Amino acid sequence: MIAAPAMKRIARFALHRLGGLRPLIWSSRKRFRILTYHRFSLPDLPGAVETLDRQCAFLRRHFQPVPLAEIARSLNTGAPLPPGAVAVTVDDGYRDFLQDAFPVFEKWRIPATVFLVTDFVDRKMWPWWSQVEYAAHHGRARRVRLSLPPDRPEWDLPLESREQRQRAEALIREQLVKIPGRERLAFVDSLADLFDLEIPHEAPPEHAALTWDDVRQLAAAGVEFGAHTKTHPILPLEDEASIEEEIAGSKARIEEELGRQALHFCYPNGDYNDAAVAAVARCGFQTAVTIHAGLNAPRANRYLLKRLSIDLDSTGEYFREHVAGMHV
Ligand SMILES: [Zn+2]
């Protein structure tokens, strides 16, 4: 008798080696996919470029990569997309897109849309999760005591090894998305004291944003740029005027620098409410993407498009299953 885990492995092997994903891809060919990438180069992501290269080869072989603009056109006119249409999106606007990812996407002729946090590109701020990463890995403190949310009992986190620092970073990031924006920013302001280091005003090179010159150069090479707010607050915000300012402000800034319209929007952290969706529509965006996991029907709601989040540290098997639609 074969044990259950072994059976599972054999079934998985058969699924991948014998083309078992093909029927699933074929049966979902009329629905379109939008993939989400974030970072391409971090110390915790060794081999990311090679992984991306293999992922792109798979996309080219089994799907039809299209620009997000083509999806917008199809939603506008009802004209069908090619079967197996897939669009690639990249959130936030880190510079590793230019250095590491773009050459790979270009090699495989896979169009990409990059969603910019415009105050990040303007060097006015850098994202709080990158600041947490920076503090957790570079701080001189050997342990940190903190309460998150602030009224919760204290965590006591040792920082002796790389693993412990990674654990502290993950825990802090996980807690920070759950608390209101003002408290989150107040906590981020306390990182320097907690971890005993200086947090530079401008992002260090490993967390740098694209520059506007990079953006223009990439746009000339066919990359599309969408808006991702000015400062990446988690929408909904308390007042509607701030929502409008964040959304419209980032759109205007991209258009000013690029001299062309920004037609696609990405909700920070995937969170939205009615006011945010209404503001996106009023600003004249053609599409908006969430982080709801799934494939999209041909007549999907253009302002609530689903995406598949892609990790560069997952296995090739998981990636292929995920893109096929097995895990949604
Ligand atoms: Zn983001």
Side-chain angles (χ1 to χ4, degrees), residues 20-31 33 84 295 324:
L21 288 175
R22 287 218 178 104
L24 187 58
I25 294 171
W26 194 82
S27 65
S28 60
R29 69 196 181 285
K30 288 189 180 159
R31 296 196 282 162
R33 291 153 169 86
L295 315 186

Side-chain angles (χ1 to χ4, degrees), residues 91-92 129 228 232 268-269:
D91 289 8
D92 306 323
W129 58 89
H228 194 28
H232 208 281
N269 215 47

Side-chain angles (χ1 to χ4, degrees), residues 38 91-94 115 117 129 228 232 266-270 307:
H38 285 94
D91 289 8
D92 306 323
Y94 285 93
F115 292 110
V117 176
W129 58 89
H228 194 28
H232 208 281
C266 174
Y267 302 100
N269 215 47
R307 293 193 291 174

Side-chain angles (χ1 to χ4, degrees), residues 4-324:
M7 275 302 287
K8 221 173 171 179
R9 270 203 308 278
I10 292 167
R12 216 167 181 203
F13 178 84
L15 184 71
H16 287 271
R17 297 295 146 174
L18 308 178
L21 288 175
R22 287 218 178 104
L24 187 58
I25 294 171
W26 194 82
S27 65
S28 60
R29 69 196 181 285
K30 288 189 180 159
R31 296 196 282 162
F32 63 87
R33 291 153 169 86
I34 304 176
L35 309 189
T36 313
Y37 286 91
H38 285 94
R39 298 297 312 268
F40 302 95
S41 157
L42 281 175
D44 296 339
L45 271 182
V49 171
E50 292 74 19
T51 303
L52 180 65
D53 190 68
R54 285 192 295 274
Q55 292 181 349
C56 287
F58 179 77
L59 294 177
R60 251 292 147 222
R61 185 151 176 224
H62 296 282
F63 295 91
Q64 293 275 349
V66 296
L68 200 50
E70 195 166 328
I71 288 175
R73 220 170 7 251
S74 168
L75 291 168
N76 280 341
T77 63
L81 285 164
V86 60
V88 164
T89 61
V90 181
D91 289 8
D92 306 323
Y94 285 93
R95 197 148 199 265
D96 58 5
F97 172 76
L98 170 70
Q99 292 158 338
D100 299 289
F102 177 66
V104 181
F105 288 129
E106 200 180 33
K107 168 184 162 189
W108 291 100
R109 291 172 292 108
I110 294 181
T113 298
V114 179
F115 292 110
L116 298 175
V117 176
T118 50
D119 275 8
F120 181 31
V121 183
D122 276 327
R123 270 67 189 162
K124 290 182 182 168
M125 51 74 75
W126 51 297
W128 60 263
W129 58 89
S130 288
Q131 295 195 37
V132 171
E133 211 236 60
Y134 181 79
H137 289 276
H138 297 281
R140 286 178 290 264
R142 310 304 296 261
R143 66 185 322 114
V144 64
R145 291 192 181 82
L146 52 94
S147 297
L148 264 180
D151 53 356
R152 193 197 171 283
E154 207 172 60
W155 306 92
D156 185 357
L157 306 167
L159 302 169
E160 298 290 341
S161 66
R162 176 160 189 82
E163 288 68 34
Q164 288 176 340
R165 286 173 184 266
Q166 273 168 357
R167 215 171 305 138
E169 179 206 340
L171 183 131
I172 293 171
R173 284 176 56 163
E174 195 184 301
Q175 295 303 317
L176 282 178
V177 286
K178 299 181 193 163
I179 65 176
R182 209 169 302 135
E183 283 175 33
R184 187 181 320 114
L185 293 183
F187 180 84
V188 171
D189 280 344
S190 74
L191 283 170
D193 286 342
L194 271 175
F195 286 89
D196 187 18
L197 83 166
E198 307 266 309
I199 305 247
H201 176 71
E202 201 173 298
E206 73 266 30
H207 295 296
L210 294 163
T211 66
W212 288 115
D213 278 341
D214 296 334
V215 171
R216 278 184 285 272
Q217 181 197 330
L218 288 164
V223 175
E224 192 156 15
F225 287 92
H228 194 28
T229 71
K230 287 164 70 177
T231 67
H232 208 281
I234 294 178
L235 306 172
L237 293 167
E238 293 88 48
D239 68 298
E240 292 190 11
S242 316
I243 296 180
E244 185 98 24
E245 168 60 16
E246 281 281 350
I247 297 172
S250 65
K251 185 177 198 289
R253 192 72 190 95
I254 294 169
E255 293 175 351
E256 185 182 1
E257 288 287 345
L258 218 49
R260 68 170 81 162
Q261 278 192 299
L263 297 172
H264 311 286
F265 181 76
C266 174
Y267 302 100
N269 215 47
D271 291 326
Y272 57 85
N273 61 358
D274 289 348
V277 177
V280 166
R282 254 196 320 275
C283 287
F285 288 104
Q286 292 189 352
T287 70
V289 296
T290 68
I291 54 167
H292 294 309
L295 315 186
N296 295 284
R299 291 180 184 213
N301 181 334
R302 67 175 60 239
Y303 294 133
L304 294 176
L305 294 174
K306 295 175 189 164
R307 293 193 291 174
L308 298 170
S309 181
I310 306 301
D311 289 325
L312 288 170
D313 56 1
S314 64
T315 64
E317 282 179 354
Y318 183 84
F319 169 78
R320 294 190 291 273
E321 292 170 2
H322 190 37
V323 176

